[in-house]
Amino acid sequence: MTMTTRFLTGITTTGTPHLGNYVGAIRPAIAASRRDDADGFFFLADYHALIKSDDPVRIARSRLEIAATWLACGLDPERVTFYRQSDIPEIPELTWMLTCVAAKGLLNRAHAYKAAVDQNTAKGEDPDAAITAGLYMYPVLMAADILIFNADKVPVGRDQVQHVEMTRDIGQRFNHIHGEAWRAAGGEGEPFVLPEVAIEESVATLPGLDGRKMSKSYDNTVPLFEGGARATREAIAKIVTDSREPGEPKDPDSSSLYAIYRAFAGDAESAAFRHELETGMGWGDAKQKLFERLDAEIAPLRAHYDSLMAHPDDIEDTLREGAKKARAIAAPRLEIMRRAVGLGALVAPSGKTKGAKKADKRARIVSFRDGEGFRFRLLGADGEELLLSRAFADPKAAGQASRSLSAEDADRALAALDVSRFVFLHDNATLATSVEFADLAKRDAAIERTRAALASLRETAD
């Protein structure tokens, strides 16, 4: 039996798709969707659009253009699940559940947020000036997009790799906290599959007219369909080149022109084009060849796009059918998650919960990962957190350190830090720290409880 791989990707609906979107996301994702072992999920990321734009006309127009683009480029709604993000209410609900487990330190390191903070700092403004909570929480919403459908692979540009890695961190954290309750509530395995990035290495990030990444924010894009062949030709004419005349050898890597050509041509054709540049082909002739190569692939798609744009009701019907397919998967999963986090239907209390394990009344060590690294907690018999370790970069190192809790003598290892805290020392270094206490008496009482818990661990180890 052939195993299927679930792919998921989308485009934020704040503008008109350009060549970089096509090469970096749309084309490879559609190619992947045609494989017999692929289960494709493709969506219009219109909730994300609200983070980037407050213009409803622009967002509405972009939703139509992007839907038409996916379909014109060959996406088959019968074969894949194609939907609008905003048609799936389970996504924002899951976003809140994930928000409640996402580490703030992890979100602080998101590239988009850090870049906005750096820009404010460079201007001498407050670091968070004009930064919305939407921008800050963008990675959590993206995590919900991916995790609600248990996507295995996420085709993205290189600039989005960090967000997929953050999705893995958030999903792993949820699995750790709620995995047992998920299974008790009727779920199988872990709540979430941890997704992997899928990048077409040679063309994952297409350069724009000026050599930087092709992006609407840089105003350096080549339009995909907008404006027809004329707009494509005019954009190509603006590609920055050096001043070498026809007949002079050219460095193909000195301009975006060759990189764009290579994204549409095979190896042999690209090698021949490169040779022509190196042996003196003029930049004007090179731009004409690039236009012809692009138009050979894009022109038939553009004709289909124009036809779709003329019939928006047909696109609307396609998206609504896609939403039904998507919700048939998302709704049952979210219902189990609700029960797993304690938000299920009210039931009469009972001594036992069907499927739940008998409570462990002994002290125990719980390992986990947060935004800072790998950690562990010492929990008392009643579930009280007694100690929280420092972060380790290596899970093996964290495991070795946790074992020292049952090896060290408690009287020697526990030390009062101040009136509100105490620490666990190992090799004369702080390994773990207690929570804060209101006064000295409560701290000392907690130290005694910790000694008892450590003794329990040693007995278990023996």
Side-chain angles (χ1 to χ4, degrees):
M1 181 177 178
T2 302
M3 296 293 291
T4 60
T5 299
R6 181 165 291 175
F7 288 81
L8 182 144
T9 195
I11 295 181
T12 308
T13 55
T14 53
T16 302
H18 56 72
L19 211 62
N21 300 139
Y22 175 69
V23 168
I26 300 172
R27 186 173 67 181
I30 292 177
S33 77
R34 293 171 177 162
R35 299 205 315 254
D36 290 337
D37 63 346
D39 179 18
F41 281 65
F42 302 98
F43 67 97
L44 309 182
D46 47 359
Y47 279 143
H48 288 289
L50 301 181
I51 299 169
K52 299 181 178 182
S53 175
D54 59 1
D55 183 349
V57 174
R58 180 186 181 191
I59 291 174
R61 174 73 180 179
S62 180
R63 293 201 309 170
L64 173 61
E65 291 174 340
I66 290 176
T69 297
W70 280 106
L71 296 171
C73 291
L75 190 69
D76 182 357
E78 297 298 322
R79 185 184 182 93
V80 305
T81 304
F82 183 47
Y83 58 96
R84 269 181 304 238
Q85 184 186 37
S86 60
D87 285 339
I88 315 300
E90 291 78 14
I91 291 174
E93 185 170 350
L94 177 59
T95 298
W96 180 249
M97 292 183 186
L98 298 180
T99 297
C100 294
V101 303
K104 181 175 181 292
L106 181 70
L107 301 180
N108 287 344
R109 293 191 291 275
H111 295 326
Y113 172 66
K114 287 179 65 178
V117 169
D118 289 345
Q119 290 175 6
N120 285 337
T121 302
K123 296 175 183 177
E125 298 179 356
D126 181 89
D128 287 323
I131 297 178
T132 66
L135 175 65
Y136 187 73
M137 297 303 298
Y138 181 104
V140 184
L141 177 56
M142 183 168 173
D145 292 329
I146 298 167
L147 296 175
I148 190 65
F149 297 114
N150 267 348
D152 300 299
K153 300 279 188 180
V154 184
V156 293
R158 197 168 301 280
D159 60 322
Q160 289 286 321
V161 169
Q162 186 201 40
H163 285 145
V164 180
E165 292 172 345
M166 294 172 79
T167 295
R168 289 176 59 88
D169 288 337
I170 295 169
Q172 186 177 49
R173 177 69 172 153
F174 189 97
N175 287 351
H176 174 76
I177 295 173
H178 298 297
E180 185 174 344
W182 159 268
R183 290 182 286 277
E188 296 183 359
E190 297 292 348
F192 299 125
V193 168
L194 303 183
E196 296 180 357
V197 168
I199 296 179
E200 190 175 338
E201 290 292 344
S202 61
V203 294
T205 301
L206 196 69
L209 307 181
D210 57 2
R212 295 180 293 176
K213 170 197 167 186
M214 188 175 291
S215 171
K216 292 185 286 288
S217 61
Y218 295 148
D219 193 25
N220 67 350
T221 64
V222 177
L224 181 57
F225 299 136
E226 185 183 29
R230 178 177 178 179
T232 302
R233 186 188 295 274
E234 290 175 350
I236 290 172
K238 297 176 182 177
I239 294 177
V240 175
T241 58
D242 60 32
S243 59
R244 297 181 192 183
E245 299 291 335
E248 292 185 81
K250 312 294 189 301
D251 176 8
D253 299 321
S254 67
S255 169
S256 300
L257 195 151
Y258 173 68
I260 297 173
Y261 187 94
R262 188 178 59 189
F264 285 83
D267 292 342
E269 192 177 357
S270 296
F273 185 69
R274 185 181 185 94
H275 179 70
E276 288 185 275
L277 286 169
E278 292 173 335
T279 55
M281 178 172 59
W283 288 120
D285 290 339
K287 290 179 178 180
Q288 176 60 25
K289 285 198 170 189
L290 173 60
F291 168 75
E292 292 171 356
R293 188 64 189 82
L294 291 183
D295 205 52
E297 181 169 332
I298 299 301
L301 308 182
R302 186 187 301 117
H304 189 191
Y305 173 84
D306 290 341
S307 175
L308 288 164
M309 288 292 289
H311 300 90
D313 288 348
D314 292 342
I315 299 177
E316 180 70 21
D317 290 343
T318 297
L319 291 172
R320 289 188 182 278
E321 286 301 313
K324 290 180 183 178
K325 291 167 63 176
R327 293 201 65 199
I329 296 171
R333 281 177 48 74
L334 193 71
E335 183 57 38
I336 298 174
M337 287 175 204
R338 285 175 178 164
R339 297 198 297 270
V341 301
L343 300 180
L346 298 178
V347 295
S350 61
K352 292 184 179 180
T353 301
K354 186 178 180 180
K357 294 182 179 180
K358 184 178 179 180
D360 187 350
K361 297 299 183 181
R362 297 174 299 177
R364 63 193 187 279
I365 297 172
V366 177
S367 301
F368 66 97
R369 183 183 182 186
D370 63 13
E372 302 298 326
F374 296 90
R375 298 180 185 267
F376 56 86
R377 291 187 176 94
L378 172 64
L379 301 180
D382 59 355
E384 175 191 13
E385 180 180 311
L386 299 171
L387 291 170
L388 173 65
S389 78
R390 59 184 174 84
F392 294 84
D394 180 4
K396 291 183 179 179
Q400 291 172 353
S402 69
R403 288 191 285 274
S404 68
L405 292 183
S406 58
E408 293 281 3
D409 180 76
D411 290 333
R412 183 166 56 87
L414 291 177
L417 188 62
D418 52 39
V419 296
S420 63
R421 285 193 171 201
F422 60 93
V423 298
F424 182 94
L425 300 175
H426 178 62
D427 292 337
N428 295 318
T430 297
L431 178 64
T433 307
S434 72
V435 298
E436 291 191 18
F437 299 96
D439 54 44
L440 183 64
K442 291 183 179 179
R443 183 207 67 186
D444 289 344
I447 290 176
E448 291 306 315
R449 292 195 299 275
T450 303
R451 285 197 177 100
L454 294 173
S456 173
L457 290 179
R458 285 197 297 274
E459 290 173 1
T460 302
D462 293 341

